[in-house]
Amino acid sequence: MKTRVQKWGNSLGIRIPKPYADEMGLHPGSSLELMMKEGALISTPVKEPRWSLEELLAGVDERNIHREWDTDPAEGDEIW
C-alpha cells in the first residue's frame, strides 16, 4: 500500500491506512516508537500502562499530596 509524505508544520507526516491502524491497535493519540533499520523506517506501537484509581492513589503520601486551594466564591451555575 502506498501513501504520501506531507508537510505538517516544520515536520513531515504520513497517514496510516485504516487496515494497518486496526491491525496495530492504533487510535488517535496512540504512541509509536520509530527507528531506522537498513534505510527503512520501522514503527512499533508503545503499550501505554493502564492505571487504576487505586494504583494511582497508592502513590500519594505526605510528601506529594497537594493542599486544598481556594479560588473565588462560587457564582451563577457554580453555586450548589
Side-chain angles (χ1 to χ4, degrees):
M1 189 175 296
K2 282 187 174 181
T3 189
R4 288 194 181 268
V5 175
Q6 297 179 324
K7 184 170 173 70
W8 289 353
N10 289 328
S11 301
L12 297 177
I14 61 169
R15 290 186 179 174
I16 301 171
K18 185 171 179 2
Y20 292 165
D22 289 345
E23 187 172 332
M24 294 174 73
L26 300 177
H27 52 81
S30 292
S31 295
L32 291 173
E33 180 75 33
L34 299 176
M35 65 179 175
M36 294 289 299
K37 186 172 183 180
E38 298 176 10
L41 178 64
I42 299 173
S43 65
T44 307
V46 175
K47 299 287 185 192
E48 300 288 344
R50 305 284 270 165
W51 301 95
S52 70
L53 179 58
E54 289 77 19
E55 291 171 318
L56 293 171
L57 289 174
V60 176
D61 60 28
E62 291 296 322
R63 294 173 293 129
N64 62 15
I65 194 165
H66 297 276
R67 294 179 286 122
E68 290 185 36
W69 54 285
D70 193 14
T71 52
D72 287 320
E75 296 180 10
D77 292 336
E78 295 176 344
I79 298 172
W80 44 279

Short mmCIF file of all heavy atoms in Angstrom, two decimals, residues 25-32 46 48:
data_model
loop_
_atom_site.label_atom_id
_atom_site.label_comp_id
_atom_site.label_asym_id
_atom_site.label_seq_id
_atom_site.Cartn_x
_atom_site.Cartn_y
_atom_site.Cartn_z
N GLY A 25 -3.66 -1.82 16.35
CA GLY A 25 -4.39 -1.36 17.53
C GLY A 25 -4.20 0.12 17.78
O GLY A 25 -4.23 0.56 18.93
N LEU A 26 -4.00 0.91 16.72
CA LEU A 26 -3.77 2.35 16.87
C LEU A 26 -5.08 3.12 16.86
O LEU A 26 -6.05 2.72 16.22
CB LEU A 26 -2.89 2.86 15.73
CG LEU A 26 -1.50 2.26 15.61
CD1 LEU A 26 -0.78 2.83 14.40
CD2 LEU A 26 -0.70 2.51 16.87
N HIS A 27 -5.09 4.23 17.58
CA HIS A 27 -6.22 5.15 17.60
C HIS A 27 -5.64 6.54 17.76
O HIS A 27 -4.44 6.69 18.06
CB HIS A 27 -7.18 4.79 18.74
CG HIS A 27 -6.50 4.67 20.06
ND1 HIS A 27 -6.17 5.75 20.84
CD2 HIS A 27 -6.04 3.59 20.72
CE1 HIS A 27 -5.56 5.35 21.93
NE2 HIS A 27 -5.46 4.04 21.88
N PRO A 28 -6.43 7.60 17.57
CA PRO A 28 -5.89 8.95 17.76
C PRO A 28 -5.26 9.09 19.14
O PRO A 28 -5.86 8.69 20.14
CB PRO A 28 -7.11 9.85 17.60
CG PRO A 28 -8.03 9.08 16.71
CD PRO A 28 -7.82 7.63 17.11
N GLY A 29 -4.05 9.59 19.18
CA GLY A 29 -3.34 9.76 20.43
C GLY A 29 -2.42 8.60 20.79
O GLY A 29 -1.71 8.67 21.78
N SER A 30 -2.43 7.52 20.00
CA SER A 30 -1.53 6.39 20.25
C SER A 30 -0.08 6.84 20.14
O SER A 30 0.24 7.74 19.37
CB SER A 30 -1.77 5.27 19.24
OG SER A 30 -3.02 4.66 19.41
N SER A 31 0.80 6.18 20.89
CA SER A 31 2.23 6.44 20.81
C SER A 31 2.90 5.38 19.95
O SER A 31 2.53 4.20 20.01
CB SER A 31 2.85 6.42 22.21
OG SER A 31 2.34 7.47 22.99
N LEU A 32 3.88 5.83 19.17
CA LEU A 32 4.67 4.92 18.34
C LEU A 32 6.14 5.12 18.63
O LEU A 32 6.59 6.24 18.85
CB LEU A 32 4.45 5.21 16.84
CG LEU A 32 3.10 4.88 16.24
CD1 LEU A 32 3.02 5.39 14.81
CD2 LEU A 32 2.85 3.39 16.28
N VAL A 46 3.58 1.66 21.12
CA VAL A 46 4.05 1.67 22.51
C VAL A 46 2.87 1.31 23.39
O VAL A 46 1.81 1.94 23.30
CB VAL A 46 4.61 3.06 22.90
CG1 VAL A 46 4.97 3.10 24.37
CG2 VAL A 46 5.78 3.43 22.02
N GLU A 48 0.99 1.69 26.38
CA GLU A 48 0.87 2.64 27.48
C GLU A 48 0.31 1.90 28.70
O GLU A 48 -0.61 1.10 28.57
CB GLU A 48 -0.07 3.78 27.10
CG GLU A 48 0.37 4.59 25.89
CD GLU A 48 1.58 5.46 26.17
OE1 GLU A 48 1.90 5.70 27.35
OE2 GLU A 48 2.20 5.91 25.19
#
